[in-house]
Amino acid sequence: MSEHLKLAVLIGSTREQRYGGKVGHWFAREAGQFDVSVIDIAEIELPPLHPTEPTPATSALMRQLADADAFVVVTPEYNHSYPAHLKHAIDQANEEWHAKAIGFVSYGGVSGGLRAVEHLRQVFAELHAVTVRDAVSFHAVWEHFSGDAGPLNPDRSSGAAKTMLHQLKWWATALKEARSRLAYTVS
């Protein structure tokens, strides 16, 4: 498998003055070994109710997810978990997540978003996705990012990203090869 793997970076915060865009776009630049696309759920007009039939926005999201070989979810931690809008976006798809690798970049206060990541691991297990062990986490995120520049301590942040990306690439390669040999779902 010599071709570039396709990585979708999913920015999961929809709050005004969020750090999600800064963190997500920094990470997308770190992932140069992949063919990267950024999916910002703040820019998707998801329906307030889960529709019986996909809307144009949900159909577009599902196509982006289906096209990816792996994902990195960029999430803040709100009230010891991940944002509701992120869950709503994840739930718009099902088979698009199957047998694909997922990594996490989290941010927040004292916990750096790690409690949100632990909750998301359970969600993605139910969606038949494989989450990688190592994650990138920014504790007290406001101390790490200034303006639109990347992290103030790029060596440390890039080192964590490199470790997680290596694991993600390994799993994404293995799962892509497996999917090419045998369909994951039974039709």
Side-chain angles (χ1 to χ4, degrees):
M1 305 220 124
S2 60
E3 68 183 76
H4 268 320
L5 294 167
K6 295 177 183 174
L7 173 66
V9 176
L10 183 64
I11 300 174
S13 174
T14 59
R15 285 191 177 178
E16 290 182 9
Q17 299 181 346
R18 64 191 178 145
Y19 282 89
K22 294 176 186 181
V23 175
H25 289 286
W26 161 78
F27 185 81
R29 291 188 301 271
E30 292 288 309
Q33 61 197 357
F34 290 89
D35 179 7
V36 179
S37 64
V38 175
I39 302 171
D40 188 340
I41 65 166
E43 297 175 359
I44 302 172
E45 293 185 32
L46 294 176
L49 300 175
H50 194 88
T52 305
E53 295 296 322
T55 66
T58 57
S59 292
L61 174 62
M62 291 167 66
R63 281 191 303 276
Q64 288 178 294
L65 299 176
D67 193 43
D69 299 308
F71 306 94
V72 168
V73 177
V74 179
T75 185
E77 180 179 314
Y78 300 154
N79 302 319
H80 286 225
S81 195
Y82 53 88
H85 283 92
L86 175 57
K87 180 68 162 77
H88 187 53
I90 291 167
D91 288 346
Q92 299 304 309
N94 189 325
E95 290 183 11
E96 292 81 0
W97 301 109
H98 288 189
K100 293 186 180 176
I102 312 246
F104 298 100
V105 176
S106 65
Y107 61 94
V110 173
S111 76
L114 293 174
R115 293 178 288 215
V117 168
E118 290 310 308
H119 290 177
L120 283 165
R121 289 184 192 283
Q122 296 171 9
V123 171
F124 284 112
E126 181 62 23
L127 290 168
H128 302 265
V130 177
T131 61
V132 299
R133 166 63 178 81
D134 288 311
V136 178
S137 175
F138 292 99
H139 306 266
V141 66
W142 52 90
E143 295 176 0
H144 293 274
F145 287 83
S146 176
D148 289 330
L152 299 175
N153 185 351
D155 292 339
R156 182 174 175 202
S157 303
S158 294
K162 182 179 178 182
T163 298
M164 189 262 283
L165 285 164
H166 175 76
Q167 292 174 5
L168 191 68
K169 185 174 184 177
W170 190 95
W171 276 106
T173 301
L175 291 167
K176 183 175 183 175
E177 184 176 319
R179 287 191 315 273
S180 73
R181 292 180 183 199
L182 180 65
Y184 181 76
T185 56
V186 178
S187 36

